[in-house]
Amino acid sequence: MRELELVVVGSLNMDLTVPVTRLPGRGETVAGAAAVRAAGGKGANQAVAAARLGARVRLVGQVGDDALGGELLAAVAREGVDVSGVRQVPAATGLAMIVVEDGGENMITVASGANGLLRLTDLDLTGADALLLQLEIPVAACLAAARQARAHGVPVILNAAPYTQGLEELLTQVDLLIVNEGEAAALCGGGTDPAALLALGPRAAVVTLGEHGARGQDASGVCQVPSFPVHAVDAVGAGDTFCAQLALAHAAGLPLAQAVRRACAAGALATTGHGAQTAMPTGDQVERLFAHAS
C-alpha cells in the first residue's frame, strides 16, 4: 500500500503492567512478577502501531504537565509519531493499571487524568487520509473531530472502546466502526451482529472475536475472517494494532474482507511479545505472516 497519513485523536497513558499466573477474582489478591512501566493509552498505542506499519501519523491529545507527561511525549515521538498536536496541561497524566496472566488475557483500569479534559476546536486535517478515534477521551471531543473530518471529506474510523453511553450522534458521523463483542452487545442491547451496528449509523462495522478472528459488514455484504495461529503471550495492545491496520487498509481503499484479514494478521503478531507498543509489528512482519499463511 502507498504511504498514508493518519490523524489520531485520542488518549495517552502511562501503563503499569504486572504479570500474574492467573487473573484475580472479585476481592482477591494475586501475587505478580515485577511491574513494568511503559507508554500506552489507546490513542498513543494506535498512533504508534500505524507508524510501525508504515504510515505518517499525527497524534492529537493531552498529557499532564508532570514528569510522566514529558516521558510519554518523548516515548511516542521516538516511534516516529508527530506529537506537535499533544498539549501539556495542568493536570495529572493518564494512568493505566494492567494485570496480564500467562496466555495473554488481561484486566485494565484507567485513570483518565488529562485525557478526560480534552476539548477540541480546530483540527488540522491537511493531507489526512483518515481520522482514527477511540473513547478514552470525551465523546464531545470525538464528535467535534468527526464533524470536522466529515466536512473535509476525510473518512472517520471509530474504535468505540471503552464503551460509554451517549454515542448516538457520533455514530452517525462514522465511516467504519470497530468494536469487540462486549462493546457490540452494549451498543446493540445484547446482540453482536454487525448489521445491528450499521443500523446505528456507521457505513461499515467490524466486530473483533479474539482468537476467532473478526466479522464485518458494509454495503457490499458480510465477511467472516479467521484469526492467524500464533503463540500468544500478551494480548495488551493487540486490539489497538488491529484498529490501526484496519484504519490504514480502509483508507487505502481495500475491500472490507481484505482489510479485516490484514488487521487480523497485525493483531495476531502483536500478541507474540510482551507490552503494548513494544510488541507492535512492522509492515514487513505483517507481509511475511501473510506470505507464510497463504
Side-chain angles (χ1 to χ4, degrees):
M1 295 186 292
R2 67 179 177 85
E3 186 179 42
L4 298 166
E5 182 154 339
L6 184 67
V7 174
V8 181
V9 177
S11 59
L12 298 91
N13 294 322
M14 184 59 73
D15 289 351
L16 296 177
T17 303
V18 178
V20 295
T21 56
R22 63 178 179 82
L23 297 178
R26 185 180 179 90
E28 183 183 15
T29 298
V30 174
V36 177
R37 190 172 80 181
K42 297 191 76 63
N45 285 349
Q46 293 181 16
V48 168
R52 291 262 184 97
L53 292 166
R56 296 191 306 272
V57 185
R58 284 180 280 150
L59 177 60
V60 176
Q62 286 185 168
V63 295
D65 57 356
D66 50 19
L68 290 182
E71 187 177 334
L72 272 176
L73 285 176
V76 176
R78 283 196 298 270
E79 293 289 346
V81 175
D82 181 348
V83 296
S84 60
V86 180
R87 296 180 298 176
Q88 284 194 275
V89 298
T93 294
L95 183 67
M97 292 164 284
I98 305 168
V99 180
V100 181
E101 74 171 353
D102 295 344
E105 289 300 319
N106 62 78
M107 298 172 64
I108 304 174
T109 300
V110 176
S112 296
N115 296 305
L117 304 175
L118 180 64
R119 302 292 181 266
L120 209 58
T121 52
D122 294 330
L123 180 63
D124 182 10
L125 292 164
T126 305
D129 291 293
L131 170 70
L132 179 57
L133 305 167
Q134 323 79 30
L135 297 178
E136 285 184 345
I137 58 174
V139 173
C142 289
L143 181 57
R147 283 174 171 163
Q148 292 180 57
R150 298 283 292 175
H152 287 83
V154 176
V156 178
I157 296 97
L158 171 65
N159 174 212
Y163 168 76
T164 187
Q165 296 182 333
L167 300 180
E168 293 82 5
E169 188 173 0
L170 176 58
L171 290 173
T172 66
Q173 305 296 312
V174 171
D175 292 282
L176 173 60
L177 174 66
I178 309 168
V179 291
N180 63 24
E181 291 179 283
E183 293 148 2
L187 284 168
C188 298
T192 59
D193 187 347
L197 294 170
L198 295 184
L200 301 176
R203 286 83 184 153
V206 173
V207 180
T208 60
L209 307 172
E211 63 183 9
H212 301 296
R215 183 186 307 116
Q217 185 169 347
D218 61 6
S220 66
V222 179
C223 63
Q224 180 82 34
V225 179
S227 63
F228 286 74
V230 296
H231 176 62
V233 297
D234 185 352
V236 174
D240 292 328
T241 303
F242 178 100
C243 291
Q245 179 64 90
L246 185 54
L248 294 177
H250 178 79
L254 290 183
L256 186 62
Q258 293 182 31
V260 173
R261 179 163 173 76
R262 185 172 291 271
C264 284
L269 285 170
T271 71
T272 61
H274 291 284
Q277 296 177 14
T278 53
M280 289 171 171
T282 65
D284 287 343
Q285 288 174 312
V286 174
E287 293 299 338
R288 286 197 293 271
L289 181 58
F290 260 97
H292 179 76
S294 61

